[in-house]
Amino acid sequence: MPAHHDHESVYSGLLVNDAHWAFGTDFEDPLAGVDTTVPDGVDPAVLARYCLVLGDDALVLSHRLTEWCGRAPDLEEDIALANIALDLLGQARLLLARAAAADPSCVPALPEGSPVPAEDALAYFRADRDFGNVRLVEVPNGDFAETTARLLLFATWRLALFERLAGSRDAVLSAVAAKGRKELSYHRDFAGRWFLTLAQGTEESRRRVLDALGGLWPLWPELFRSHPVETAAAQAGVGVDPASVAAEVDAVLARVFAAADVPRPEAAPRVGGAGRDGAHTEALGRMLAEMQVVARAHPGGRW
Amino acid sequence: MSGRETSPEWPLYEVFVRGKRGLNHVHVGSLHAADDTMAVLHARDVYTRRNEGVSVWVVRSAHITASSPDEKDPMFAPSGDKVYRHPTFYEIPDSVPHM
């Protein structure tokens, strides 16, 4: 009675058919089967840089979330944060691979014959000033409340971007956004629920989440400042101008704040350059030193 | 905030997952969560991350009434030798699947 036996474990038959994975399970080429032709009238350098900065946002936050691994408040939250980190790492891999395919000149040179794929070269062999992530994602994790508040801000913003990006003229960006929307919806939901729970929990949890939000708020306006690369990508029909999602994102946050009875912070924007230009806080350099040390020690390594 | 109960340990939940190909929910394990909603989220994160499920159920472990191991013999041994209760003496036509 095979049908009956198959049903005994929900894990059986998992690897029979991988069609339900959006990008298949090809571990060698992340863009296998996807049309990587740059659309007509689009400057490949602009498309590449745009993909790179979106990829860097995901890569850096992914690494920050990974730092929770084994240290979260409990096992269930540990796995949840690791899942979210992996979702973001997947987005980063596709976006960095897309950047490399659109403009190979953006990929750092490695020793002759190195088997390191282009997206890994971009992740592990660039210095902090070459990263284009917004600064919000690079500041250290802080406590669980701070991680929750940052994830709420980030996922709300990125989900709004990706919902528009799904209509990109670039087939890869459109596919990445379509896949990422579902992931980011969950991230926002996860962070939003924890935000409410902490804000309405004990006096201590509320104090912590209010402190966390206030501390992150100066980095928030940067996410809606249009960088020339984003403007150019938006005008070419492949990207999204972040300023265009500001009102929508603000409305979502306002609902969360109202439900949590949390006042909107009033901290002034942080001064200094923009992460999109490579002007980062000192925290990014330290984070990258740890993230990149093994790969840089073995530029010919195969992983 | 004030007046709300806090407990150092979250209650235990049992998790049931329905796989894509399956017909009923199957018990896969347990987890801790502060409330029912969080338990569903935790179940999703802990037990369906390899694409195992299309639906999850959670139930507080405390709400499950189980048979006692001490009563194993009176509960289950009497059915052990009643082979005639199995429908194994029927011919099942080839055209009837899932039997």
Side-chain angles (χ1 to χ4, degrees):
Chain A
M1 294 185 281
H4 180 75
H5 284 291
D6 280 357
H7 178 57
E8 280 177 359
S9 166
V10 292
Y11 303 101
S12 64
L14 262 185
L15 296 174
V16 174
N17 171 12
D18 67 5
H20 48 273
W21 272 286
F23 291 84
T25 47
D26 188 318
F27 292 112
E28 298 298 326
D29 178 7
L31 300 182
V34 182
D35 180 11
T36 56
T37 316
V38 176
D40 284 343
V42 177
D43 179 353
V46 166
L47 176 61
R49 182 68 192 170
Y50 181 68
C51 291
L52 201 53
V53 301
L54 283 186
D56 286 345
D57 289 338
L59 176 63
V60 172
L61 186 57
S62 171
H63 191 80
R64 282 297 186 207
L65 291 172
T66 304
E67 290 173 350
W68 276 104
C69 203
R71 306 172 59 193
D74 60 74
L75 181 144
E76 288 83 0
E77 245 51 64
D78 206 280
I79 294 176
L81 291 173
N83 287 347
I84 293 170
L86 277 173
D87 285 346
L88 292 174
L89 190 63
Q91 291 180 13
R93 186 183 183 207
L94 293 166
L95 287 164
L96 265 48
R98 203 317 166 236
D103 178 14
S105 73
C106 73
V107 181
L110 290 177
E112 187 96 13
S114 169
V116 173
E119 66 271 21
D120 281 19
L122 283 167
Y124 295 113
F125 294 88
R126 276 181 304 151
D128 57 352
R129 63 186 174 281
D130 298 323
F131 273 70
N133 58 279
V134 292
R135 291 175 297 171
L136 176 74
V137 296
E138 72 199 33
V139 293
N141 283 326
D143 60 14
F144 186 71
E146 200 168 337
T147 294
T148 298
R150 166 161 62 188
L151 187 59
L152 173 66
L153 296 177
F154 178 79
T156 304
W157 170 70
R158 193 168 172 93
L159 177 59
L161 286 183
F162 271 38
E163 281 178 343
R164 284 172 170 71
L165 197 59
S168 171
R169 286 178 61 219
D170 182 57
V172 182
L173 271 177
S174 170
V176 169
K179 173 173 183 275
R181 282 160 78 175
K182 299 172 203 159
E183 296 167 340
L184 293 162
S185 300
Y186 183 79
H187 304 170
R188 190 181 71 175
D189 189 47
F190 171 89
R193 283 175 192 277
W194 264 117
F195 189 86
L196 290 181
T197 301
L198 295 175
Q200 299 179 323
T202 64
E203 279 176 31
E204 175 68 2
S205 71
R206 182 174 174 83
R207 182 189 68 73
R208 284 188 184 227
V209 85
L210 290 178
D211 284 356
L213 189 65
L216 293 168
W217 201 253
L219 292 170
W220 180 234
E222 183 185 336
L223 276 62
F224 303 95
R225 217 183 290 155
S226 311
H227 186 272
V229 163
E230 291 164 318
T231 310
Q235 280 167 358
V238 293
V240 179
D241 183 342
S244 69
V245 301
E248 177 191 330
V249 172
D250 204 56
V252 175
L253 273 192
R255 284 203 298 276
V256 178
F257 290 165
D261 191 23
V262 165
R264 189 187 160 88
E266 287 174 358
R270 180 148 168 176
V271 293
R276 289 278 188 254
D277 285 320
H280 294 284
T281 66
E282 61 180 15
L284 182 65
R286 289 204 200 104
M287 192 203 91
L288 291 179
E290 187 176 317
M291 186 181 102
Q292 297 178 335
V293 62
V294 176
R296 282 180 183 263
H298 305 280
R302 191 182 293 276
W303 310 97
Chain B
M1 270 183 290
S2 58
R4 186 168 293 197
E5 265 183 71
T6 56
S7 145
E9 181 93 359
W10 288 342
L12 192 65
Y13 283 81
E14 299 300 322
V15 182
F16 300 81
V17 172
R18 182 159 69 85
K20 264 186 169 44
R21 287 140 38 86
L23 302 171
N24 12 330
H25 288 71
V26 177
H27 184 240
V28 291
S30 55
L31 50 75
H32 288 96
D35 57 31
D36 298 355
T37 310
M38 188 190 286
V40 172
L41 294 186
H42 281 167
R44 178 263 193 200
D45 280 320
V46 177
Y47 290 108
T48 69
R49 54 201 298 276
R50 297 185 184 88
N51 213 28
E52 293 93 338
V54 293
S55 166
V56 293
W57 288 348
V58 295
V59 61
R60 286 274 284 270
S61 307
H63 291 166
I64 292 180
T65 308
S67 59
S68 159
D70 299 342
E71 298 164 16
K72 189 163 164 276
D73 281 349
M75 287 284 275
F76 305 115
S79 63
D81 59 354
K82 297 181 175 60
V83 66
Y84 48 85
R85 287 181 181 168
H86 292 263
T88 47
F89 305 102
Y90 296 96
E91 295 284 339
I92 297 173
D94 291 341
S95 58
V96 178
H98 304 304
M99 285 288 282

